[in-house]
Amino acid sequence: KEQWYVEDPFDLRHNLASQCTREGRVRILEKMKETLGVLDSASSEDAVPRLFANQCSWTPTRFLLKCRVHTEKVTASDFVEALSAVRDVGVFTVRFPVAHGSRARDVTDAF
């Protein structure tokens, strides 16, 4: 099995690409090459931020954000409040884990 590694800048032991499919890797590499080509075409260092911004898509998209939360330290309302504070996040739905007795994991996934 071919494996590749994308380092998480916030947790250096975490491989962000550990579950990435071959098709996902191809899409990521294509976008990286496309962006590098655009940035390489910059006539000056000052043009790089403008070229980068032009390369970004501004059309609304739908996506799933999955993250781990410590359910004894973060409440659902705190979680929603933190997401709401993000600029231009728009309307969203949260699926927050519910602890079930003493067998619940301390850290679990929220969507």
Side-chain angles (χ1 to χ4, degrees):
K1 179 180 171 182
E2 190 175 335
Q3 179 105 17
W4 70 316
Y5 190 89
V6 177
E7 187 176 89
D8 183 336
F10 303 104
D11 180 0
L12 302 181
R13 298 166 299 177
H14 182 208
N15 178 6
L16 293 171
S18 66
Q19 300 298 315
C20 191
T21 63
R22 185 175 193 285
E23 293 80 12
R25 183 172 58 243
V26 167
R27 283 194 310 269
I28 291 168
L29 291 173
E30 283 174 357
K31 281 297 180 184
M32 291 173 79
K33 287 176 188 175
E34 181 183 324
T35 302
L36 178 61
V38 169
L39 296 177
D40 276 346
S41 72
S43 56
S44 71
E45 216 174 280
D46 296 335
V48 171
R50 180 183 47 77
L51 287 171
F52 182 78
N54 289 343
Q55 186 68 10
C56 296
S57 171
W58 297 105
T59 55
T61 58
R62 294 182 60 136
F63 59 90
L64 173 69
L65 171 67
K66 177 181 172 183
C67 63
R68 296 200 163 202
V69 294
H70 194 297
T71 56
E72 291 180 0
K73 295 181 179 179
V74 178
T75 66
S77 58
D78 288 341
F79 187 76
V80 169
E81 184 179 331
L83 288 176
S84 298
V86 176
R87 181 178 68 90
D88 300 331
V89 74
V91 178
F92 60 90
T93 302
V94 172
R95 307 276 187 240
F96 197 81
V98 178
H100 295 289
S102 62
R103 298 189 68 185
R105 294 182 352 198
D106 288 341
V107 178
T108 190
D109 297 329
F111 300 89

